[in-house]
Amino acid sequence: MERPAGEGPGPKEQPPAPSGAPEQPPAAHPKPGPGSPPAGPGAATEVLAVLTAFGRRLLVLVPVYLAGAAGLSVGFVLFGLALYLGWRRVRDEKERSLRAARQLLDDEERLTAQTLYLSHRELPAWVSFPDVEKAEWLNKIVAQVWPFLGQYMEKLLAETVAPAVRGSNPHLQTFTFTRVELGEKPLRIIGVKVHPSQRKDQILLDLNVSYVGDVQIDVEVKKYFCKAGVKGMQLHGVLRVILEPLLGDVPIVGAVSMFFIRRPTLDINWTGMTNLLDIPGLSSLSDNVIMDSIAAFLVLPNRLLVPLVPDLQDVAQLRSPLPRGIIRVHLLAARGLSSKDKYVKGLIEGKSDPYAIVRVGTQTFSSRVIDEDLNPRWGETYEVMVHEVPGQEIEVEVFDKDPDKDDFLGRMKLDVGKVLEAGVLDEWFPLQGGQGQVHLRLEWLSLLPDADKLEQVLQWNRGVSSQPEPPSAAILVVYLDRAQELPLKKGNKEPNPMVQLSIQDVTQESKTVYNTSCPVWEAAFRFFLQDPRSQELDVQVKDDSRALTLGALTLPLARLLTAPELTLDQWFQLSSSGPNSRLYMKLVMRILYLDSAEVCFPAGPGTPGAWDPDSESPQTGSSVDAPPRPCHTTPDSNFGMENVLRIHVLEAQDLIAKDRFLGGLVKGKSDPYIKLRLAGRTFRSHVVREDLNPRWNEIFEVIVTSIPGQELEVEVFDKDLDKDDFLGRCKVSLTAVLNNGFLDEWLTLEDVPSGRLHLRLERLTLHSTAAELEEVLQVNSLIQTQKSGELAAALLSVYLERAEDLPLRKGTKPPSSYAILTVGDISHKTKTVSQTPAPVWDETASFLIRRPHTESLEVQVRGEGTGALGSLSLPLSELLGADRLCVDRWFVLANGQGQVLLRAQLRILVSQHSGVEAHSHSQSHSSSSLSEEPELLAGPSLVTSSGPELRQRLTHGDSPTEMPVGPLGQVKLTVWYHSEERKLVSLVHSCRALRQNSRDLPDPYVSLSLLPDKNRATKRKTSQKKKTLNPEFTERFEWEVPLEEALRRKLDVSVKSTSSFMSRERELLGKVQLDLAEMDLTQGAAQWYDLTDDKSNS
């Protein structure tokens, strides 16, 4: 093919070099002519190469020699070898990937031309693609500019970045860039797409960029002889370029904004000390950290703004524009998911434990896990900000939760432009890469610049069921610009200011600006607002250590509701700061409005956002009519979201001695005890006398919420007659415990020379079925300690909404009423509502329940000055038979008139870390007696039993008339070895069908002893029950013996009765001997044992 005159042969016509061949030097360097003989290595060069190779291989043996000299085992050598092989494999994969990508880019144009025309000429102008256009002319410009861009980057890094790094940390004062080369492989633009913009003053471009470069950047910290760098990089993504505003003067374009719509893919080849980042496990972690840094700079909602004209207006608005809208994503359900769980090496197919991840740009949400369900129902709602339409996508990925690696179940993607067009989109979307569908309801919320419809939005949100967060009524965008004349630090040093902005429990932080009292941040922050009428923006200007506050500002957001276009753009004076310290901010609020013409209410009940015809929320056109009486409560979205934390205080070590005798001449020990503070409650352990390594072994339980920042405060004291001495303190953040569910650590005590404390914290799992209640009660009886009270088996959440038709005071005046909710000895008093027969309390209370079968919720409605107005007693056994252990309805008050509307929800507390493999059913020990009880929910086939059947079985399962027993009766025992406590534990539950030897009923009790010893140290005895053949004991006994010794013992159990009031003689009603060596002491199962007389046991 002919080439135009003056055009030399280009690199495209040369055959590609093999992937393993070294790269050619640049064309600008002189090359030997064709007549020059090739320079070959001499003998000295060959010998030097051989010696170098031999020396490298010999160097490998140095770590082996050092390990042997240090006396280390061969395991260290093998571990180091495995680490090196893994590092080498990751490095080789990256190098192969870089070589393949470079060769692909080099051959792309040649292969395309050969495929289309079997020639080397370029594509004609009339060849185009329907969506994305090629831009080879732009690639040629980039290739021409690339060397000069490298010179600019070298200057930028050396003169701007390096001084900033050296000033950020004293240890980096010798930081320098020793080499900056962008290489010969320029950035390539694979395709360009121009979007028709709705605005006439901007141009939208999408550039599909691909960079497979031989970049080399080396840095060095000379003080520590540390070298690191990058040699080779891949970056692929879609870069959006916005040219705005368009002007009527040169240069026509006012500014250029650039950002990645989605996170680009990145692969880096490290050198120097950063070679360690190629170790397996660190490689993906390091790439993710760098991608997070890039996302914080160049991925939506962040963008790079390059102004092209001076004094450009609204630079902050261009750098961080308002979102185009908000999408409320209702993740409702999924169906037909694939089964990923397998049992018995794949022979038995289980189900899946699905959860979903919803992602829009950098905004990511994860749903809760639904155990063993291929048709899960989540019913969760998330709100995401949309900045670019078209371009951004809603992505939902469904996974199966596993202990190791979660299995992928499928994904769906949807362009946000379709939601904008539809307004409300309620569909089942098929999952790609798997099977099944996911049900989403997507609502586009417009941004209104005035507060005219705020009340309507708030009223609509009250009828929206939203979890885990309540629906938002507005958004707030804070443009943090700069501050002036901030106070100096001690010694007149310039501060390193940063800003914390908080609204309720959401806090965001700015970057730190070093060594200045007039910092410039130019950053934007976005918040969702539930009710802007009552919320406040709290601003704290602090030094980078967070310990020194440089100024503060509290701004009620109600100020913006009266501002023009809901915007404040001004200086704000800082409090607790210098006299002239102030902060410049621009605050923009927008109301989130779902156009009523676009609303389509789903037919399914319980769908988020759906109107319930029985609910009290008024519908369109009913504002002048009285709302109908509600049939069910409408609690806040946080109702029932409490957690129960079980705190196990085990032991302490190396406490300091505080006791002194003889005027301090004789050093004693300490009498330590512990104080715990959490969620407004204080707990105290018992005192261990004269022990610097005490063991408390006490369990405390507390109800906590998911409010971030909560801490468990622990203090250790020495008990004295006058003032207790301080032995140390520590704090435990609840964030990790609530997220992971379990924490078992030794904590170092602070503010003392020595001492550490062993705590075990567990977030109990909440179940909404009674299937595991019997097992929970049994496990609790096993793990509760002698110093602790009875452990909770359930959590009761009560929402008291309102009352109606309360009796009038003195016949004519309505009462000022309040309610008292009581369970056991715990009470909660509501607020007092003045002078109305239909008060609305709208309050919640939570109670720990230890015995759901026997406890009840007591509600008393009282009036100030009038006494009781009515009462209600709700047995919790009624909740055990209800659907999902919840009742929600009107209750008629006794002893008066009126009704109350309340919701009572019971959830079973299941411990996943009790260490007990308990069974919820009982077995008979004697094979000669048909005394085995029916199994209570022992297998999957019985879980589906209805509530009334379950309640009947729980109530009458132990009835002595249900089955024949032995002639002397039976005793129900649990025998278990607590391996962590190194104790043998026995629970005496009850006896049944005991023998009556005289005219009067016996007064039975149970005596236990460990044979062959019959001394007082091994004997235990229950309390005595009066006049019964079926006594209930439920008492726990312990023996501190090693497991080996316990297996050599026998447990002698005797049921006795007092003969008469004046006699010390004891009548034996029956006994049984248990050979502990023949029992499985790890199971902790309750069993019935037939009683025999003394002769048959001898």
Side-chain angles (χ1 to χ4, degrees):
M1 177 179 178
E2 296 183 358
R3 185 176 299 275
E7 185 177 335
K12 302 296 182 183
E13 296 184 347
Q14 298 176 2
S19 59
E23 298 179 3
Q24 299 297 327
H29 290 230
K31 297 183 180 180
S36 301
T45 306
E46 293 181 357
V47 172
L48 183 60
V50 172
L51 290 178
T52 303
F54 177 74
R56 288 179 177 175
R57 284 160 176 76
L58 190 64
L59 194 63
V60 177
L61 300 178
V62 172
V64 181
Y65 170 76
L66 293 177
L72 300 177
S73 67
V74 70
F76 287 91
V77 179
L78 295 178
F79 175 75
L81 180 61
L83 204 61
Y84 171 77
L85 292 177
W87 171 83
R88 186 73 259 176
R89 180 179 60 83
V90 173
R91 293 279 298 177
D92 292 342
E93 289 179 356
K94 286 191 173 183
E95 290 176 358
R96 283 196 299 268
S97 175
L98 281 171
R99 286 197 299 268
R102 288 172 184 168
Q103 184 176 357
L104 178 63
L105 285 178
D106 290 341
D107 294 350
E108 180 188 13
E109 184 176 343
R110 179 179 59 81
L111 293 176
T112 304
Q114 286 181 349
T115 304
L116 293 177
Y117 290 99
L118 300 179
S119 64
H120 289 181
R121 68 185 181 184
E122 297 183 357
L123 293 176
W126 50 265
V127 176
S128 62
F129 298 91
D131 197 19
V132 179
E133 301 176 2
K134 295 182 69 67
E136 286 302 319
W137 62 273
L138 192 54
N139 288 322
K140 291 180 180 180
I141 294 177
V142 174
Q144 189 78 14
V145 174
W146 194 253
F148 301 95
L149 182 60
Q151 297 175 14
Y152 170 74
M153 287 297 299
E154 182 176 3
K155 182 179 179 181
L156 176 67
L157 295 177
E159 298 180 1
T160 304
V161 177
V165 174
R166 287 194 290 266
S168 64
N169 194 305
H171 300 287
L172 299 177
Q173 291 180 355
T174 58
F175 175 89
T176 56
F177 286 94
T178 58
R179 186 175 184 179
V180 178
E181 293 182 3
L182 292 188
E184 300 178 1
K185 306 294 182 183
L187 177 79
R188 286 188 57 83
I189 300 174
I190 307 301
V192 179
K193 181 177 181 180
V194 181
H195 294 280
S197 177
Q198 296 179 354
R199 294 170 49 188
K200 294 183 179 181
D201 63 339
Q202 70 172 195
I203 300 175
L204 298 181
L205 302 174
D206 280 349
L207 307 182
N208 192 349
V209 298
S210 179
Y211 176 57
V212 185
D214 50 354
V215 59
Q216 185 160 354
I217 301 176
D218 296 332
V219 300
E220 181 180 3
V221 183
K222 296 180 180 180
K223 181 179 179 180
Y224 300 101
F225 304 100
C226 176
K227 294 183 179 181
V230 174
K231 186 177 181 181
M233 179 190 300
Q234 291 191 64
L235 182 68
H236 308 279
V238 178
L239 181 69
R240 172 156 293 184
V241 179
I242 301 180
L243 309 177
E244 68 171 337
L246 300 182
L247 308 174
D249 200 355
V250 177
I252 306 301
V253 178
V256 179
S257 302
M258 293 176 287
F259 53 87
F260 286 99
I261 296 179
R262 291 173 289 275
R263 294 166 67 101
T265 57
L266 176 70
D267 192 6
I268 298 176
N269 194 19
W270 301 102
T271 62
M273 289 293 293
T274 46
N275 267 324
L276 297 177
L277 296 178
D278 280 334
I279 295 177
L282 291 180
S283 178
S284 59
L285 178 62
S286 63
D287 290 349
N288 288 336
V289 170
I290 293 176
M291 278 311 308
D292 290 340
S293 301
I294 295 177
F297 183 60
L298 268 181
V299 178
L300 276 178
N302 308 295
R303 59 186 71 201
L304 174 64
L305 178 70
V306 181
L308 301 181
V309 296
D311 300 328
L312 185 64
Q313 298 294 326
D314 294 330
V315 175
Q317 187 75 16
L318 293 174
R319 182 176 286 111
S320 301
L322 286 172
R324 289 285 304 278
I326 305 297
I327 293 183
R328 186 171 289 160
V329 181
H330 298 284
L331 176 66
L332 301 180
R335 63 187 180 191
L337 300 180
S338 58
S339 174
K340 291 292 185 179
D341 294 340
K342 308 291 182 184
Y343 305 100
V344 196
K345 295 183 178 181
L347 296 179
I348 300 177
E349 181 175 344
K351 294 186 177 181
S352 291
D353 308 318
Y355 70 95
I357 294 178
V358 180
R359 186 181 294 110
V360 177
T362 57
Q363 304 167 88
T364 303
F365 307 91
S366 181
S367 75
R368 69 181 191 276
V369 179
I370 306 296
D371 295 329
E372 296 186 354
D373 197 343
L374 299 183
N375 301 288
R377 298 186 62 85
W378 290 290
E380 297 187 9
T381 304
Y382 315 105
E383 293 171 333
V384 296
M385 297 185 183
V386 178
H387 296 269
E388 292 296 322
V389 182
Q392 287 191 276
E393 292 179 332
I394 298 174
E395 182 179 3
V396 179
E397 293 181 318
V398 184
F399 294 90
D400 168 38
K401 185 67 176 178
D402 284 332
D404 46 4
K405 183 179 180 181
D406 299 344
D407 298 319
F408 177 72
L409 299 180
R411 77 163 52 86
M412 63 78 60
K413 290 184 178 181
L414 180 70
D415 192 280
V416 296
K418 296 184 178 179
V419 185
L420 175 59
E421 295 175 2
V424 176
L425 204 58
D426 192 341
E427 293 183 9
W428 287 89
F429 297 92
L431 294 174
Q432 305 298 327
Q435 68 180 43
Q437 297 174 309
V438 62
H439 187 191
L440 299 178
R441 175 181 168 86
L442 308 172
E443 300 170 349
W444 180 273
L445 305 178
S446 303
L447 306 183
L448 302 183
D450 56 69
D452 295 342
K453 296 185 177 181
L454 176 60
E455 189 62 37
Q456 181 180 347
V457 171
L458 293 172
Q459 191 176 17
W460 161 258
N461 286 350
R462 294 189 192 103
V464 176
S465 175
S466 175
Q467 290 185 356
E469 298 292 337
S472 301
I475 65 167
L476 176 69
V477 180
V478 181
Y479 298 101
L480 177 64
D481 188 16
R482 65 187 67 223
Q484 284 185 354
E485 300 187 33
L486 295 178
L488 301 179
K489 296 194 294 185
K490 292 183 178 179
N492 290 331
K493 294 183 179 180
E494 294 283 353
N496 302 322
M498 53 80 62
V499 179
Q500 291 179 338
L501 300 101
S502 303
I503 295 180
Q504 288 185 339
D505 56 347
V506 178
T507 300
Q508 301 185 39
E509 292 187 352
S510 73
K511 65 182 180 180
T512 301
V513 182
Y514 293 95
N515 301 322
T516 178
S517 59
C518 297
V520 177
W521 291 286
E522 292 184 342
F525 306 90
R526 302 163 182 87
F527 297 89
F528 283 101
L529 308 176
Q530 276 76 47
D531 189 352
R533 301 173 303 178
S534 58
Q535 293 178 283
E536 294 180 336
L537 172 65
D538 180 68
V539 182
Q540 299 283 334
V541 184
K542 296 185 177 182
D543 192 65
D544 62 342
S545 63
R546 300 339 188 246
L548 176 62
T549 299
L550 304 176
L553 169 67
T554 299
L555 180 66
L557 298 182
R559 282 185 55 184
L560 279 83
L561 297 177
T562 58
E565 295 187 352
L566 308 183
T567 301
L568 290 177
D569 188 0
Q570 64 184 61
W571 286 98
F572 295 90
Q573 186 68 35
L574 294 174
S575 61
S576 304
S577 187
N580 299 319
S581 300
R582 55 181 187 167
L583 192 68
Y584 192 85
M585 294 188 300
K586 181 179 180 181
L587 295 87
V588 180
M589 183 189 294
R590 291 293 181 264
I591 308 301
L592 305 183
Y593 183 68
L594 178 63
D595 192 351
S596 59
E598 298 171 343
V599 177
C600 57
F601 304 106
T607 303
W611 289 102
D612 188 342
D614 294 328
S615 70
E616 64 170 340
S617 302
Q619 301 189 30
T620 305
S622 63
S623 58
V624 296
D625 301 326
R629 167 173 158 152
C631 294
H632 303 287
T633 62
T634 55
D636 186 78
S637 60
N638 294 324
F639 174 77
M641 302 298 289
E642 307 94 339
N643 294 289
V644 176
L645 192 67
R646 181 169 288 172
I647 307 171
H648 196 169
V649 181
L650 296 170
E651 58 186 326
Q653 291 182 354
D654 301 326
L655 298 180
I656 58 176
K658 285 291 186 178
D659 292 343
R660 299 287 191 272
F661 304 100
L662 299 179
L665 297 177
V666 179
K667 184 177 180 181
K669 295 186 178 182
S670 291
D671 306 321
Y673 69 92
I674 283 183
K675 279 186 178 180
L676 306 171
R677 293 186 182 90
L678 178 63
R681 297 193 60 188
T682 300
F683 304 91
R684 176 171 169 169
S685 72
H686 69 281
V687 179
V688 179
R689 297 294 179 184
E690 297 185 357
D691 198 344
L692 300 182
N693 299 288
R695 185 175 183 83
W696 291 282
N697 192 25
E698 290 192 49
I699 299 177
F700 306 94
E701 293 172 315
V702 60
I703 302 172
V704 296
T705 61
S706 299
I707 298 176
Q710 295 185 94
E711 289 183 328
L712 169 65
E713 299 180 7
V714 185
E715 292 181 313
V716 187
F717 292 93
D718 169 36
K719 183 65 178 177
D720 285 336
L721 295 177
D722 47 2
K723 182 180 179 181
D724 297 344
D725 296 320
F726 176 75
L727 299 181
R729 67 166 55 90
C730 61
K731 292 183 179 181
V732 182
S733 175
L734 296 190
T735 302
V737 182
L738 296 180
N739 291 339
N740 302 328
F742 186 71
L743 178 69
D744 188 351
E745 286 186 3
W746 281 92
L747 304 172
T748 302
L749 295 177
E750 300 174 356
D751 302 331
V752 288
S754 67
R756 60 177 190 157
L757 180 65
H758 190 188
L759 291 181
R760 183 179 299 153
L761 287 77
E762 180 185 5
R763 173 180 53 79
L764 301 179
T765 306
L766 303 176
H767 288 191
S768 297
T769 62
E772 297 181 86
L773 177 58
E774 288 302 308
E775 182 175 342
V776 167
L777 292 171
Q778 183 179 343
V779 169
N780 286 352
S781 63
L782 290 174
I783 65 176
Q784 75 181 39
T785 62
Q786 291 181 336
K787 300 295 184 180
S788 304
E790 188 175 2
L791 300 180
L795 173 67
L796 176 65
S797 300
V798 182
Y799 172 67
L800 181 62
E801 181 169 304
R802 63 179 65 211
E804 284 189 0
D805 301 327
L806 295 182
L808 299 180
R809 185 176 55 182
K810 296 182 180 180
T812 58
K813 296 182 179 180
S816 297
S817 56
Y818 62 92
I820 300 177
L821 309 175
T822 305
V823 175
D825 55 352
I826 305 298
S827 297
H828 171 81
K829 181 181 177 182
T830 69
K831 63 185 177 184
T832 301
V833 181
S834 301
Q835 297 184 355
T836 174
V840 177
W841 292 296
D842 192 23
E843 291 196 25
T844 61
S846 300
F847 304 90
L848 292 176
I849 306 300
R850 290 160 177 80
R851 294 183 173 272
H853 299 318
T854 58
E855 296 186 67
S856 60
L857 169 66
E858 306 293 333
V859 181
Q860 284 190 342
V861 181
R862 305 180 65 87
E864 287 188 343
T866 60
L869 301 176
S871 64
L872 165 69
S873 179
L874 176 63
L876 299 186
S877 57
E878 181 178 338
L879 275 70
L880 294 175
D883 183 30
R884 299 187 62 81
L885 309 184
C886 179
V887 293
D888 188 348
R889 57 183 174 86
W890 287 94
F891 293 84
V892 178
L893 295 176
N895 303 324
Q897 67 184 55
Q899 305 174 61
V900 292
L901 177 62
L902 67 82
R903 173 184 291 188
Q905 180 177 346
L906 195 68
R907 284 167 297 168
I908 309 302
L909 302 176
V910 180
S911 172
Q912 305 293 340
H913 302 273
S914 63
V916 183
E917 188 180 351
H919 299 278
S920 59
H921 59 284
S922 302
Q923 299 174 349
S924 172
H925 182 68
S926 173
S927 59
S928 61
S929 176
L930 301 176
S931 58
E932 188 172 84
E933 288 190 336
E935 296 182 349
L936 296 182
L937 304 174
S941 60
L942 297 180
V943 175
T944 57
S945 60
S946 63
E949 293 174 346
L950 170 65
R951 185 166 64 252
Q952 182 179 0
R953 291 161 65 186
L954 292 177
T955 305
H956 304 292
D958 291 344
S959 174
T961 61
E962 286 185 354
M963 55 193 68
V965 296
L968 300 182
Q970 291 183 329
V971 59
K972 186 178 182 180
L973 303 172
T974 296
V975 183
W976 175 59
Y977 190 81
H978 199 320
S979 57
E980 293 185 357
E981 301 292 332
R982 299 183 294 276
K983 293 180 180 179
L984 179 68
V985 180
S986 177
L987 271 78
V988 180
H989 298 281
S990 59
C991 298
R992 64 182 181 186
L994 296 179
R995 181 179 58 183
Q996 184 176 354
N997 295 329
S998 62
R999 184 177 58 183
D1000 298 328
L1001 292 175
D1003 300 331
Y1005 68 93
V1006 179
S1007 174
L1008 304 96
S1009 60
L1010 276 181
L1011 301 180
D1013 298 337
K1014 290 189 177 182
N1015 53 27
R1016 181 179 294 270
T1018 66
K1019 288 186 177 181
R1020 306 287 188 270
K1021 186 176 73 170
T1022 69
S1023 59
Q1024 191 173 30
K1025 305 300 178 181
K1026 296 295 184 179
K1027 308 299 180 182
T1028 177
L1029 298 177
N1030 302 288
E1032 295 282 344
F1033 299 102
T1034 315
E1035 297 185 32
R1036 173 191 173 105
F1037 303 97
E1038 297 178 352
W1039 293 267
E1040 293 189 5
V1041 293
L1043 178 61
E1044 297 78 9
E1045 182 180 348
L1047 295 176
R1048 295 193 295 266
R1049 300 287 192 111
K1050 292 184 179 180
L1051 181 63
D1052 182 86
V1053 182
S1054 300
V1055 181
K1056 300 179 180 181
S1057 176
T1058 303
S1059 297
S1060 64
F1061 177 75
M1062 299 296 296
S1063 173
R1064 297 185 59 186
E1065 296 182 3
R1066 302 291 186 264
E1067 177 187 5
L1068 179 66
L1069 302 180
K1071 66 183 303 182
V1072 61
Q1073 275 192 7
L1074 306 179
D1075 190 347
L1076 301 183
E1078 299 178 357
M1079 301 180 64
D1080 187 357
L1081 299 181
T1082 64
Q1083 295 297 314
Q1087 295 184 6
W1088 286 101
Y1089 297 89
D1090 287 338
L1091 296 173
T1092 59
D1093 55 21
D1094 196 21
K1095 297 180 180 179
S1096 60
N1097 281 280
S1098 60

